Amino acid sequence: MHPYDRFARWWLPVGGGAVLATVLTVGWATQPDRFSRAFAPEQPIPYSHRLHAGSMKIPCEYCHTGVRKSRHAGIPAVQTCMNCHAVTRTDRPAIQKLAALARSGEALPWKRVHRLPDHVFFDHRPHVAAGIACQTCHGEVQEMEVVSQRMSMRMGNCLGCHRDAHAALPPGSPPRKGPENCNACHR
Amino acid sequence: MSDRAFAVLGLFDTPDALLSAIPRVRARDLGRLEAYTPYPVHGLEKALGLKKSPLAGMVLVMGLLGALSAFLFQFWATGIDYPTVVGGKSPLAWQAYIPIVFEVMVLFATFTAGLGMLLLLNRLPFYGHPVLASRSIAAVTRDRFALSVEAAGAELDVEAAARALREAGASAVEVVLVPPEAGPYSPNALLRGLLSVAAACLVAGLATYWGIKLMPVLPPMVHMEDQPRVNAQAPSAFFPDGHAMRLPAPGAVARGYLPYGPASPEEAAALPNPLPRDARVLALGRSKYETFCAVCHGPLGDGVPTLTSAYGAKPANLQSRTVREYPDGVIFHVITRGKNAMPGYAWALTEEERWAVVHYVRVLERAQNARDEDLK
Amino acid sequence: MSVPAPAPLPEELAPPRYLEGEVTPGALDDQVLAFPERKPPRKWFVAFAFTAALAAAGFGFIGYTIATGIGVWGNNRPVFWAFDIINFVFWVGIGHAGTLISAILFLFRKTWRNAIARFSEAMTLFAVMCAGLFPLIHVGRPWLAFWLFPYPNQRALWTNFRSPLLWDVFAVSTYFSVSLMFWYLGLVPDLASLRDRTTHPLRKKVYTVLSLGWRGAASHWVHYEKAYLLLAGLATGLVLSVHSVVSFDFAVSVVPGWHMTIFPPYFVAGAIFAGFAMVVLVLVVVRESMDLRNLITLDHLEVMNKVILGVSCLMAYSYFMEVFTAWYSMNPYLHHIFRQYVSGTYGWAGILTLCCNVLAPQVFWFRKARRSYPVMILVALCVTVGMWFERFVIIVISLHQDFLPSAWHVYLPTKVDFAILLGSFGLFFTLVLLFARVLPVIATTEVKAVLPGAQPRHAGGGHE
Amino acid sequence: MADDTRPQPPVSGRRFWISREEGPGEPDARSAVWNEFPEGAADPPELPADALSRRRFLALLSASAALAAASACSAPDRGTIVPYTERPDEVVPGVPNFYASCFAEGRRAHPVLVRTREGRPIHVEGNDRYATAPGKAPYRAVADLLGLYDPDRLREPQNAGRAVSVPEAERLLAEKARKAREQGLPVLLFTDAVLSPTRARLLAELRKVLPGLEVVSYEPALGEGEERVLRSLFGEAVNLEPRPEKAKVILALESDLLSGEDPALVRAFAAGRRPEGRREPLARLYAAEGRFTLTGSRADARFGVRTGDLGAFALGLLRLLVGEHGVSLPPGAENLPWPERPLSSLLGAGAGEREAEALARDLAENRGAALVVAGSHLPAPVHAAAALLNLALGSLGKTLGVWPWPTAVAPSGRGEAEAALERAAEGRYGLVLFWGGNPAHAFPGHPAFGEPRREVFVRIGLHEDETAKVAALVLPEAHWLESWGDFVPRPGLKALRQPALRPLYPAARQGEDWLLGLLRALGGQGAEDYARFLKERWRREEWPPESPVPFERFWAAALHEGLVPGTPPPVSAPSAGALGPHLCGASTPKGLELVLHPSPALYDGRYANNGWLQEWPDPVTKATWDNPLLLAPADARRLGLKDGDRVRVSEGGRSLESAVLIQPGQREGVAALSLGYGRQALSVARGVGTNAFVLLGREGERVLRGVEVEKIPGRKPVPTTQTHHRMEGRDLVRSIPLKEWARGEGEKREGHPLVSLYPDQEFPESKWGMVIDLSACVGCSGCLLACQSENNVPVVGPEQVLKGREMHWIRVDRYYEGPEEAPRAVHSPMLCQHCDNAPCENVCPVNATNHSPDGLNQMAYNRCVGTRYCANNCPYKVRRFNFLEWTAHKREPETLAFNPEVTVRPRGVMEKCTFCVQRIEEAKVRARVEGRKVADGEVIPACAAACPAEAIVFGDLKDPESRVSRLARSGRAYKVLEELGVRPSVTYLAHLRNGPEDSE
């Protein structure tokens, strides 16, 4: 067989196939979603949702008070921790650090776990009002020692639920859809 | 080079000579006849008995297929998958799809015509064809016309063919041998080749993977995801304390937030509960109670917390006589300002919500201390 | 059989000669296919250096534009499109002549096209490449230009198939693919000839690979000719659609001066017009510098010039029709804009367009003019300039004063605009020069097929 | 990103004038690159104009590459969330708060409401409890939000050019004062108008410990004629309060009554111009003026009278009234002598004698319902004549209120101020405190400001401005949004100013706090800070002791509302006889007359560092970033001048250079120039326009006579946002005479029925729409600024405006009709029309703009690739394209001004009015959560909220009972370019002309 033919009939398809396979694999493996999921940064205070929300059953909204009032669920103020920790577990180093921050007023920079691009204006209120549980999007936070991202935060994922909200809504809710128009999220 | 002959080529100087030679050689039935010419010579196909090209039909079918797929794709994408209203037209309005339907039709048809001819019908590229290795090919692609008697299954009678061609007027005759049969590949070479392809892909793939992982989006690609505005709860490099969220100025009164007046429970005792005791208020009170109060005071208000872990102080029993005898205003005051180890909850509960909780606490008390008439 | 020698015809009545002197297939090869093997003359290098520098500068300014934003151009509100789209339409138009010559004239069996088809097709490709550049760089965020293609994505979004710009994306990319296919198919037998005559090992390798093992088998020619015919047919439809689609960019809008039903045929005619002028321009240079006077005869040029004259009249008709439509519409916005075409801030551009496109080619009514280098070069230059300005007139003048006078604003191009325009010319001529250097500029196979005596006499004759 | 926190000019500073000379058409390579790379913008501004060598360009490129790499490395990091340490009860992150406060400027104060997010102001609007103009704020109050976040603000006290601490600064100040006291030298406090009773009280306290304290309270922008006339008329300093709502006939003597500086006036006027549901005839506005003011452009009949002749005009009118209409002169004025000039000799092009007769008749017939107002820049004779007219027509107490100057510190004249400055220059003061104002700019070339850092000069100010440069001690002042105070915006009405945030810079304290510190240091009695001082004074003086409400609750409620009503003290009766001397002052104009007036944008120059106001098109000329000399067309022809030519203007040995802009309608022989430009300090302000204070004489005369204008070489095109001023006979802005409308002719619609190939769109829930009443709209352009603040609209700079690349989402189209000498002007706000069949949507290849189910033409910036096709296809040309990067390089504090609910658009994307979709979506979410429908009037876009005329109404067109639907059915309703079939959602109501000829 002529070497050129060998090339054209063997290596061209094989190489092309290999390149295609590589591109597809890398493309699939590097979806922003894959990188962003399971993102669980170490927090400045080793706060455990498993302990507080899981074992102690403190409702989510006790701390994330903004969720029915604001677009943002809100990370609780340091003082919210001090509601209990002014008297509880004051011997722990982390609590002492917290107390020091509460006294000094210095910033407590929690690492952001869920980040939507700035051009997305997500609003917690209608979702909570529709009866969608926090866990639907944020995962079983009450079982997480360190909070990590569980959901996809891509537009496709938002739309998926908006087009068929059945699974997210509490049982027995009437069938409804979320808006699909641009302005619903982008302003 | 093997000595098996593939073909015998006879070169002719003019197309006429070629054309007149074909029936003569063809009559001998020495093998498959083929002509090689520098340009299409009309009449050859008839002389050689070649079939008509099926290309036109292929092109028609593929063109229609292209048109149909373009139409269906546009219709699905715009009308069904993500219906968008544009310029007041219904998502299903199809008229505007026609230009793309036409273009895709032409694209499919063209590729069928071009690639179909080359790859499917003419089986090109074929670099190892014996004729390409012949001496005559240079003449053929220049200005000579070759008639070739080719082995068709059986062994070629080289002598007879050469004779026939010469007799038909060929100015020169060349025997074209079958090139040596080099097997496709030795397993080793194949393995080496495949491995190196795999290795190259792996290296490139990993490099891309890590590149994307470490540098997912570069400016300016990123430039609307991270806008130079200050979002809620953002950090700040400008304010020395690192908070972009600021405290209101001391003494300033925001709309809807008149400062809470009473300084002591006694002062607050006279405050009347402004809310009616209706289902909406009680539902509100209940949801807020269960979120903020039940953790310590217990869902029944009996001071048995839902917190499983011990809290440093003992929460009050709302069912106690003392609490039950508090006027509403005192409970409101305690919720607002806190008491002992309990912090105030004005940060979490609006005034309305606090009064609703007061109502709900009353309901809890009543439920646990039902009077006779309640049982009737 | 002796036939008395016919009395010599007067020159005017003699049939045009598309070959000078005796041309045999071998001689043709030796003349045309030898170019790639010879070291090009000094002037080629000088020209190449010049055009490549121009192209490089153009790309530099494109880089600058992308790094800074298209605010470095003169575009403003309301003239949101200016040089960028003018250049796009201009270059797409230039491309049309090639397809016309290679496809439409092929279908009409005008064999004189064979000598110039290759060159025109190559120019089509290069012009479309130049054209394709502009939609990409003219967008505000060029790094996201891939969003113009409908591909499945995580945003679950599709493109807007109702937008003429998207039609453009499909039309221009289809046009490029089809032209490439057409050009390459034609090249394959020539590449085989080159492969078999060259002695240089590297060139041999390259030509071998590119010629795909073409061996001129009669069974291949059958399919080949069919394919060529089909492609010509498809390309004819395509070429008419492409500039129609480009004209939709304007015709489908509401802008007075753009919203015209005559635009599709008018744009196609204009495209052919500009393209022919460019072909004439390049052909004259090629004919002289590559010593191809026997293959590209003055009769070739003359017939080209006749086409230019004819299309010029068509353009005049289009202009007239446009003006008539505008007048007849009783639309005050349209009336205003048509007055602006010949008066007002940019009136000179409209007048220049009319002079260049309608008046200048009229000189071709005279045979002398049609056969005179200076005249045809001048007219071709006029037409090229005129057609560029025609797009300027359509785009800039129409935009700068549309419905609300409060939004009117003049437009002034910047140096960057000019640099990128020149850069596109640099790119075009660089590619032309490279092409002339490495590939056969004349479709030898096609010319061979129509040489006297190329086809067997009893098989129905050739195409003479 | 190392120097994130370096101060950045708010609109990247000097780049605006560096390439100024280039003019249009030149590649703006430099300014573009400056925009692109923040490092470049922070470079020393002394960079020569052609410094952008290739090397530097590459350096910048590599810097940006490094920047890219740096940010890329930290990509997996998603930033941090910084919660409050202790969240205040009223602040929920993401939910705005509102603080009632008060804006003051010149002689006016206006209650406002400040919207804050997380304790930072992001928008200023009017106080909804302010009955005179509920929810309406002066446009400069809205724009001054940017002033709060101005990176050029002083952050620390400076002594002799070195930063010092606050206690140190206080010590230095006290030391200077003590030294002056010991030496027995007087102390000068040079400040602007003292409108605040508590501030006046503080000054009184200070005088107790500093007996030699002289207070000069000078407002350079305002003329003194009115002041002088009123003082002699009433015997004390008073304020006038025009009440257009009570007037049926208004005569404006070159008064910019409707400029929007006082939204209450516009609101009252507009209310009288809506025919729907009105029983009385529409109010009629006459104007007589030399300049072409916004008010004049809205007049039903406009008399072209030379500014210097206005007094004579008013007196001529009076004579007509007395002689032919039986109007009697007020007591005491019967025998006043006044120069006699026939009315006809004063009138230029425009309304003529017939209209003058009609005016006299109208005035006479509407005694007690007529109002004459004269511009504040006019000289005393005009004001005296106007006062005489008002007295004769019985306007006083009816259409014109009078109330005493609210504080004990009466305004000073320019003569007084200049004398004090001269004494300061001679070193006669032991201490000179410059607080507020900017005297070094208002008195250019004054010897007092000749040497830098004078030991006895102390500056209390927001910026390191011209005046700060001559002071040894510079004390940073807090912005008004960070300050406490009280004002009297209307007779008897007290308004409180409270801070909407804690000071951005802790060392920047409000001026009163610095003075309080001084007071205490000198042994005086004073609270620790001004907040307490204010509260104490209110406890003692404003809280009615008999009130059942405890003071704390009274105080909290007062802060909550921002207002406390009351009754003003009475004013003594006018004595018309005292007008005599003023009336005689009138003299015939000679030569070219130059009128100096405060800039509508920059006022006296205090807003010159505010990019929003610099780029805010003047409502009449549409000029931005400059104060061109406005010439009448005939004068320009005579002098051979075109738009953009440069001239030297000289008068009495003083001169300045300026660009020229021809102003149709301006009376021949009158030129105009606005004050406030030509600042020499601050990154945005510096070098923009020319300082017209140069021409102000000692008497503060603002109408100069015999001015020489001479052409000088060079051109300086004026950046205007509108370059064509005629409608070309198109039916764009409808203005119909009242009688035609009354006959129902306005309802006749021309044109053929519009047909569509496609079925109509359906809107399942709501369909948002807008109605703009052109009869109410005065063209004040306040909507532009409210929109800019609400929607993060960038500032682009003069070169870009010259190229037509300004970014305002709403503009006010102003067209002239009729002859150049006396055109009629029409104003029409133009914004995205949210067409149902939007042509822009069809052509976007990537679906970045399409239609929402509630009828909005939505624009997803993040999907936009920037083909600009949509903008080409927009017949209204309301789409704006980010040709260059105008925002990405911004850092705090500038970015704090951005609305966090709106995308900050980068370069390369298209943008446009969204109908304030963030407000719509917020209302929709709130309604959905509460399980109800969005109520009518719940969504108000920023432009509608700010419109003082309430000309813009927004709502749901699907609800037939909504206000917008009802108005859209009005007989005046029409749509712009309706014939295109794009079906806009914005309906315009035709303007009604109510001239003497226009009604029956």
Side-chain angles (χ1 to χ4, degrees), chain D residues 401-484:
Chain D
V402 183
W403 53 292
W405 184 253
T407 68
V409 186
S412 321
R414 192 170 178 94
E416 248 174 283
E418 197 146 341
L421 287 177
E422 269 157 25
R423 287 196 296 278
E426 290 158 13
R428 305 248 207 96
Y429 290 111
L431 171 64
V432 182
L433 271 166
F434 293 108
W435 173 26
N438 186 4
H441 173 247
F443 295 87
H446 195 282
F449 307 113
E451 61 186 84
R453 290 187 194 145
R454 283 179 104 128
E455 201 46 43
V456 295
F457 282 11
V458 175
R459 170 68 170 156
I460 304 175
L462 277 169
H463 301 110
E464 189 167 357
D465 55 12
E466 294 88 334
T467 311
K469 285 182 178 150
V470 299
L473 183 61
V474 180
L475 305 175
E477 192 186 6
H479 191 263
W480 65 270
L481 287 168
E482 302 165 324
S483 304
W484 291 92

Side-chain angles (χ1 to χ4, degrees), chain D residues 8-21 30-31 34-35 40-49 152 469 609 625 679-688 796-799:
Chain D
Q8 300 274 336
V11 285
S12 61
R14 292 212 8 154
R15 69 184 174 80
F16 290 141
W17 68 270
I18 278 186
S19 46
R20 166 66 64 75
E21 260 62 58
R30 231 163 7 248
S31 64
W34 287 68
N35 266 317
D43 270 0
E46 279 69 34
L47 211 65
D152 283 358
K469 285 182 178 150
N609 214 38
W625 291 100
R679 293 283 303 270
Q680 287 169 359
L682 309 186
S683 53
V684 175
R686 183 170 42 200
V688 176
V796 301
E799 292 85 31

Side-chain angles (χ1 to χ4, degrees), chain C residues 26-79:
Chain C
L28 184 70
D29 275 12
D30 292 339
Q31 189 184 357
V32 175
L33 302 186
F35 282 115
E37 308 202 19
R38 277 203 299 269
K39 192 173 179 302
R42 239 181 85 106
K43 59 187 175 192
W44 185 90
F45 283 105
V46 173
F48 183 78
F50 177 71
T51 58
L54 217 54
F59 276 106
F61 277 99
I62 288 172
Y64 172 60
T65 305
I66 291 174
T68 317
I70 55 162
V72 298
W73 299 348
N75 301 36
N76 64 7
R77 180 186 60 91
V79 187

Side-chain angles (χ1 to χ4, degrees), chain A residues 2-54:
Chain A
H2 196 275
Y4 287 1
D5 281 337
R6 210 142 58 178
F7 184 83
R9 294 183 192 177
W10 280 85
W11 296 119
L12 218 56
V14 166
V19 168
L20 191 70
T22 313
V23 167
L24 288 180
T25 316
V26 172
W28 181 77
T30 56
Q31 292 169 72
D33 240 16
R34 296 182 54 80
F35 287 145
S36 59
R37 262 191 249 203
F39 176 70
E42 199 191 333
Q43 299 291 357
I45 302 283
Y47 174 82
S48 162
H49 277 87
R50 183 156 65 185
L51 178 63
H52 290 85

Side-chain angles (χ1 to χ4, degrees), chain A residues 159-173:
Chain A
L159 276 175
C161 200
H162 275 217
R163 286 172 178 167
D164 179 17
H166 182 71
L169 290 170
S173 325

Side-chain angles (χ1 to χ4, degrees), chain D residues 32-74:
Chain D
V33 171
W34 287 68
N35 266 317
E36 186 66 9
F37 304 104
E39 296 89 338
D43 270 0
E46 279 69 34
L47 211 65
D50 53 351
L52 192 92
S53 64
R54 180 154 184 74
R55 227 179 77 218
R56 185 170 152 68
F57 177 62
L58 288 176
L60 286 168
L61 262 184
S62 62
S64 79
L67 191 138
S71 61
C73 287
S74 57

Side-chain angles (χ1 to χ4, degrees), chain C residues 89-101:
Chain C
V89 180
F90 174 76
W91 282 117
V92 173
I94 296 287
H96 278 51
T99 320
L100 182 99
I101 290 168

